[in-house]
Amino acid sequence: MSADTEPTVVRPVDPTTGEPLGEIAANTVSQVDDAARLAERALGEGWRRDTRGRATTLRAWADLLRAHTDELVGSLVGETGKPVTEARAEVAASADALAYNAGMARYVGGRAGALPDGAQAHLVREPVGVVVFIVPWNWPVLLLLRDLAPALAAGVAALVKPAPQTTLVTRRVLDLGAEAGVPKDLLQLLVGGASVAQAAIAHPSVRAVAFTGSTTVGREIGVAAARGLKRSLLELGGKGASIVFADGDVEAATDASLAGSVITAGQMCMACTRLLVERSAYADVLDRLKERAPQLRVGHPAEESTQLGPLISQAQFDKVSGHLDVARADATVVVGGERTQPEGTSGWFLTPAVVTDVDVGSPTVQEDIFGPVLTVEPFDSDPDAVRLANATPYGLTASVWTGSVDRALRIGGALQAGTVWVNGHNRSYPEMPSGGYKDSGIGRTRGVEGIEEFTELKHMHFSLPDEPDPAGTPR
Ligand code: NAD
């Protein structure tokens, strides 16, 4: 959408009811310009050098998030339609990301050593400068803080552009950051859609962009960043496969994979969307899915027992329904995939679908549907499992369920995915990096590696003039 046609306000909507939640003015290009210049100025030497201050601030922010859990959970449920239990998990994980990175703000890394001519070298990491964070709506607080907390720990300044749908909860989280002590202007909210994000990326004060969202938009952002020779961290779409071997705990694998397929009603990059099952266990797995999938509770997200809330919008509902129509034509939808309207709702709800007889080349297997749709495919051997699992353009996550350590290591090593879980699914930790192979992205978020994404590397060289250079290399 061009700047001329993009709306001048954002209007978040409650996906459970379709009711508007408010109206927030979008930023103009000149406001983006002001924000970027102020952020660069705020970066100054104080924040860049004050590792203890950054640690204290991030820890205070974690505490404030925990103290405001109920309020934030209410906002998350209202703006995303995610079940209240999931919203609570999101707030807890977000506070944990801040707490972990509070410690990491004081981490001293780098390398030092003698060079062949006797000179001394130091490698130091410095904050990259002003970074733009562009965030999706599905896990708006965690996916923001997953990247923002390490970036602030590294000492950057930040412009945050949330998805329009989740502008309100993001604004509240940033207000809590200011209350915790993040200096004024160093962290600012940008409101709007594509044109606001693009104006921020293009701004000369901005040195890097951290984007989480669809592969299509990620490609555009990577190109825009490259044009200005800026760094881009791209966390994109996924098509997670769960690979179940008959020598493992097949029942646990089936239940965890089904649960993993309906997180945020399937609107999650790390969701398990494909279940690959060794042929000897296939019939049992399918029977279990047919029994269990209809028992998952689709309901009002504010109710404690709800496991699936609504899809985010009519457009997303239509997109997922279109994929289900294709699956009905060229595969078999064995259960679910129907519209349902829980009591007290008027939004966009679907029952979880299980699809079989599906060709690996079909759109149901190849595309990031972003809805509660799980395909089940049999395989006949270890190489067949690897071939099927790697046969999509995505490479974000995969899981291997087996009782054999050798097999887990062999299969895990052959999978093209940034994260491979063995006998588990959907486990993320601020300590460990995650990210995508292939069309699932570039770079890593979380862990030491996630902090390094927001730094520049400097070689400092200390000459010792009295030492002759033994190799006579140019200096
Ligand atoms: P999206 O790509 O449509 O939007 C993400 C963000 O980019 C929003 O803030 C949006 O306003 C902005 N945006 C949209 N078009 C833009 C453009 N042309 N230029 C600049 N900014 C633009 O994604 P979404 O619908 O909000 O989220 C769903 C997608 O995100 C799915 O594909 C999902 O797999 C992916 N996702 C990935 C991860 C991950 O960690 N890899 C996590 C969550 C979601």
Side-chain angles (χ1 to χ4, degrees):
M1 194 180 277
S2 80
D4 296 343
T5 54
E6 195 153 301
T8 53
V9 290
V10 299
R11 294 191 180 84
V13 164
D14 182 344
T16 304
T17 59
E19 295 296 321
L21 292 167
E23 229 178 58
I24 311 132
N27 287 123
T28 61
V29 170
S30 97
Q31 286 170 329
V32 173
D33 180 56
D34 288 347
R37 280 187 299 100
L38 287 171
E40 190 177 23
R41 197 187 313 154
L43 197 51
E45 287 305 297
W47 181 256
R48 277 171 67 92
R49 304 283 168 223
D50 184 10
T51 56
R52 189 182 282 140
R54 300 205 297 263
T56 306
T57 300
L58 292 177
R59 198 173 310 284
W61 197 356
D63 291 343
L64 279 171
L65 231 60
R66 292 190 187 108
H68 289 80
T69 294
D70 289 350
E71 175 200 344
L72 294 171
V73 164
S75 301
L76 281 170
V77 171
E79 288 168 57
T80 68
K82 66 175 58 202
V84 63
T85 46
E86 184 181 306
R88 246 179 243 126
E90 178 167 357
V91 175
S94 303
D96 194 39
L98 285 164
Y100 168 78
N101 284 290
M104 291 306 285
R106 295 180 66 174
Y107 170 77
V108 179
R111 262 192 297 144
L115 295 168
D117 62 359
Q120 291 288 322
H122 284 192
L123 272 188
V124 289
R125 288 197 174 267
E126 299 190 336
V128 69
V130 180
V131 182
V132 186
F133 295 83
I134 303 169
V135 189
W137 46 263
N138 61 340
W139 281 67
V141 180
L142 180 60
L143 296 179
L144 168 63
L145 290 173
R146 173 188 78 174
D147 293 345
L148 179 61
L152 291 175
V156 311
L159 302 175
V160 174
K161 212 299 285 167
Q165 296 91 332
T166 45
T167 303
L168 292 168
V169 69
T170 306
R171 184 171 67 186
R172 184 67 184 125
V173 167
L174 296 191
D175 284 350
L176 293 174
E179 199 178 321
V182 181
K184 183 169 164 347
D185 298 335
L186 191 111
L187 173 60
Q188 296 182 61
L189 176 71
L190 297 180
V191 178
S195 66
V196 169
Q198 291 288 350
I201 297 167
H203 196 280
S205 296
V206 166
R207 292 309 324 152
V209 51
F211 170 81
T212 303
S214 61
T215 294
T216 308
V217 174
R219 249 184 246 286
E220 236 183 278
I221 291 201
V223 169
R227 210 175 284 125
L229 295 178
K230 300 172 186 195
R231 301 265 195 88
S232 53
L233 168 64
L234 303 173
E235 299 292 332
L236 311 179
K239 196 74 192 177
S242 205
I243 306 168
V244 182
F245 288 92
D247 69 4
D249 186 341
V250 174
E251 292 188 351
T254 308
D255 294 349
S257 303
L258 179 62
S261 75
V262 298
I263 298 182
T264 329
Q267 303 165 111
M268 195 201 186
C269 56
M270 291 195 173
C272 170
T273 57
R274 302 177 65 201
L275 191 49
L276 306 180
V277 188
E278 191 166 7
R279 198 172 293 275
S280 60
Y282 183 78
D284 287 347
V285 166
L286 203 52
D287 284 347
R288 195 169 175 91
L289 288 172
K290 282 194 221 162
E291 183 198 329
R292 303 254 156 154
Q295 291 169 356
L296 291 170
R297 186 152 187 284
V298 185
H300 195 297
E303 284 168 22
E304 292 289 336
S305 58
T306 291
Q307 290 165 292
L308 281 87
L311 298 180
I312 188 74
S313 61
Q314 177 77 56
Q316 188 64 19
F317 180 87
D318 292 345
K319 182 185 152 207
V320 178
S321 302
H323 275 289
L324 283 163
D325 289 343
V326 171
R328 282 186 195 100
D330 66 15
T332 308
V333 179
V334 287
V335 287
E338 281 135 19
R339 182 161 198 164
T340 178
Q341 206 69 68
E343 210 183 316
T345 72
S346 41
W348 308 283
F349 292 75
L350 267 179
T351 58
V354 176
V355 180
T356 60
D357 307 320
V358 66
D359 186 82
V360 68
S362 70
T364 314
V365 172
Q366 292 295 317
E367 290 178 24
D368 182 12
I369 295 176
F370 230 49
V373 180
L374 177 66
T375 60
V376 197
E377 301 160 75
F379 66 81
D380 292 304
S381 63
D382 289 19
D384 196 28
V386 171
R387 176 187 65 83
L388 285 172
N390 286 341
T392 79
Y394 297 105
L396 195 61
T397 59
S399 57
V400 183
W401 299 81
T402 174
S404 155
V405 174
D406 290 359
R407 178 173 257 158
L409 284 168
R410 231 183 6 254
I411 302 285
L415 293 174
Q416 296 161 344
T419 301
V420 175
W421 295 290
V422 176
N423 294 330
H425 202 89
N426 279 343
R427 308 285 179 91
S428 298
Y429 305 83
E431 290 89 340
M432 296 311 295
S434 59
Y437 281 33
K438 303 192 287 186
D439 286 5
S440 287
I442 298 178
R444 291 294 177 269
T445 181
R446 302 188 172 106
V448 177
E449 296 77 5
I451 296 179
E452 289 179 350
E453 294 279 349
F454 299 104
T455 61
E456 283 286 6
L457 194 56
K458 181 178 281 176
H459 168 204
M460 286 184 63
H461 180 274
F462 298 79
S463 296
L464 294 177
D466 293 344
E467 291 281 330
D469 177 353
T473 42
R475 300 198 186 177

